[in-house]
Amino acid sequence: MFNHKSSGVSTTKEARFTAELDVQAQPASFADFGQLYDALFPRIYNYVSYRVAGREEAEDLVGTVFEKALANFAKFDSRKGSIESWLFTIAHHTVVNYYRSHQRHPQTQLEENLETSEAEQPDQTFLQREEMARLRHNLSKMGERDRELIALRYGASFSHRQIGQVLKMKEGSVTVALSRAVSRLRKLFEAEEETK
Amino acid sequence: MSSDNFRGWRKPNNSQSEILADQAFEQHLEQLPLFEARPQFRTELRARLLNTTTVQISQPSNTSRFSLLSRPRWVLVGVAVGIALVAFAVTLFFAAKVTEIPVANAFDKVYDPDSQAYVNSNEAAQALGFAVNAPSYLPQAHSDYQVESALAPAVFTNTDTTNPPSDSPTRTLQVSLIPKNPAQNQPQFEIYEMRVPVNLVATSQSPTVLRAQRFLPITVQGVQGYFVEGRFWRLVFQAHLQPGRAIPTRKPGAAVPARTPLPAVLAPGLRPNPFVIGRAASPDPNNPRVFLEFLPSKKWSAGAKTIIWQKNGILFMLVSDQTTSDDQLQRIADSFQQISK
């Protein structure tokens, strides 16, 4: 249930996720919330980062996701689905609710001021940061559904079937919609290149 | 990760080439690096979450909890049906009157999870360190509601090594007003009473409101209060430390503010509370900045209305779903009285 599945594409990113998950016990044996946190934090953080504009927002929302998960951890029922689908469903709803609220009430900068600004992580190269900035920039131009699909596929490394579970879509519909979203994102990258 | 590494997804302009370009771009997306969290954030969030684990996870499992509750609930339902019939007749008779409901009587049965026993309101007041309050008014439509209440655990375990221990209240009283005959779309109420170590400051700059759909400063019981509506909001208050009290100091460089989730209570009818109170960054320990956060839960998924006020050092939070009018909620808040039964 906790095995990491994808659409057959093995990548460095996926291998890193899988390596973290392989050392974990099955969800039924999670003795405490810490194991769940350790196993899925990188993917949750990456997924949320695909969905929001900045690190502060991402940290805030990731904290909220795990707070909600902790509050409901005892209620998780493995018969209804995998724990990772359960957690990403919480993450999905958290982001959706955030944007609904955000659109009605633009945020102040207060939260950013509350947090201490940290230096960038030393292992991130300039080109990587630039590429990720481009990704975020272009994702911000996309529609909500497209961003969600891309975040779940490439941020969370979910399979099409798992995406369907979170978004309540059929697997075939996910495949079609995701393909179109990727194509649109590619064209945004291309358009950006052409304006340089 | 230079753009030269993934030229394959660029053009030319025909359908087959488009497909190939998309496939190449998919490969590019697969190979993008992760957005990586700051290690400090990850570590401190973990520490903060696991501080609450002893409270949250040590509760009985969902299944066992409901099996334990099912019997008294069925008894209550049976009793409620009878009472509801009587109440219905009375309601018809006094339809035009506003009812003052003696809900305070129900505080005879405050559940104490520490002793796993019911205590009366005097004992509850001793445990809380302040007199218990209850609304003396509920709208006529809610006349069949009963009060279920519980004290939060006495000790909030704080093993956080990144922030000093919280000066959490000795106890929090959590109250739910629950229809005796549960049905969909019936109004839901929850009340929280909490002794806090600070006096909240009301100015044009305090509180700062984040994410609320609606926010109105109001007067409640003659003191400054606030009406907040929304699913997920945060109020950040300026505050003065009460004499002899302490509040957690944020460790220099800590990525996560010190937070104190109000201890969760799992007693009949009560659910883990949606509030988190904590201290945000502030350079002055005597005038800390305090945040009160409302997190969405299933119960309040459609949004909630909350009235917040502080009186005699006690922080009150009255929460209702959207079916209660603003005026009714204000009237309920204004009707709070100390009980000493």
Side-chain angles (χ1 to χ4, degrees), chain A:
Chain A
M1 186 180 300
F2 213 69
N3 292 334
H4 185 63
K5 295 176 181 175
S6 72
S7 294
V9 182
S10 178
T11 68
T12 303
K13 185 196 314 185
E14 197 166 349
R16 291 171 67 180
F17 285 145
T18 307
E20 293 202 46
L21 293 174
D22 282 344
V23 300
Q24 302 300 328
Q26 293 299 308
S29 67
F30 274 137
D32 61 49
F33 189 77
Q35 287 177 283
L36 175 69
Y37 180 91
D38 292 340
L40 292 180
F41 177 93
R43 290 173 63 193
I44 289 290
Y45 188 88
N46 202 43
Y47 161 76
V48 172
S49 296
Y50 268 71
R51 299 284 279 113
V52 299
R55 189 181 65 195
E56 286 74 18
E57 284 176 294
E59 290 184 352
D60 203 2
L61 288 173
V62 167
T64 301
V65 168
F66 280 103
E67 283 167 356
K68 287 185 193 175
L70 178 60
N72 294 286
F73 188 50
K75 298 176 187 172
F76 168 69
D77 185 351
S78 60
R79 292 169 297 187
K80 294 180 181 175
S82 70
I83 199 162
E84 62 180 346
S85 290
W86 174 77
L87 188 60
F88 275 93
T89 300
I90 291 174
H92 163 67
H93 289 303
T94 300
V95 173
V96 169
N97 289 338
Y98 170 75
Y99 273 114
R100 281 182 186 153
S101 173
H102 188 78
Q103 285 166 357
R104 289 177 197 160
H105 298 277
Q107 301 300 291
T108 71
Q109 298 302 306
L110 177 63
E111 284 175 290
E112 293 178 10
N113 295 335
L114 292 176
E115 303 297 340
T116 304
S117 177
E118 299 286 337
E120 290 292 334
Q121 295 172 46
D123 60 345
Q124 284 188 313
T125 67
F126 171 77
L127 286 177
Q128 283 177 329
R129 288 203 304 273
E130 186 185 64
E131 190 59 24
M132 299 309 279
R134 288 178 67 206
L135 174 64
R136 261 189 171 139
H137 176 67
N138 287 319
L139 283 171
S140 71
K141 298 177 182 173
M142 302 186 78
E144 176 78 13
R145 176 49 60 103
D146 282 358
R147 272 187 296 164
E148 181 65 55
L149 287 162
I150 287 170
L152 285 169
R153 179 68 191 95
Y154 300 103
S157 289
F158 262 16
S159 68
H160 294 183
R161 182 179 57 78
Q162 288 173 307
I163 293 171
Q165 288 172 350
V166 173
L167 300 183
K168 312 294 183 201
M169 293 170 67
K170 293 179 179 175
E171 187 172 350
S173 301
V174 170
T175 302
V176 172
L178 182 61
S179 174
R180 290 174 179 162
V182 168
S183 190
R184 280 190 279 269
L185 181 59
R186 173 178 66 84
K187 287 169 182 167
L188 287 170
F189 269 76
E190 287 175 350
E192 190 182 54
E193 286 289 307
E194 287 171 357
T195 58
K196 278 185 177 177

Side-chain angles (χ1 to χ4, degrees), chain B residues 198-217:
Chain B
V198 294
N199 293 324
L200 305 178
V201 174
T203 68
S204 60
Q205 303 294 318
S206 173
T208 302
V209 188
L210 300 173
R211 302 190 186 108
Q213 292 170 14
R214 230 168 16 124
F215 174 82
L216 293 170

Side-chain angles (χ1 to χ4, degrees), chain B residues 291-303:
Chain B
F291 66 80
L292 179 65
E293 196 168 71
F294 183 82
L295 302 169
S297 62
K298 188 174 182 181
K299 181 173 184 177
W300 307 115
S301 59

Side-chain angles (χ1 to χ4, degrees), chain B residues 277-311:
Chain B
I277 188 167
R279 182 191 169 174
S282 175
D284 184 351
N286 292 315
N287 296 289
R289 190 179 279 165
V290 174
F291 66 80
L292 179 65
E293 196 168 71
F294 183 82
L295 302 169
S297 62
K298 188 174 182 181
K299 181 173 184 177
W300 307 115
S301 59
K305 296 177 178 179
T306 304
I307 291 182
I308 300 161
W309 71 103
Q310 186 178 25
K311 192 170 185 181

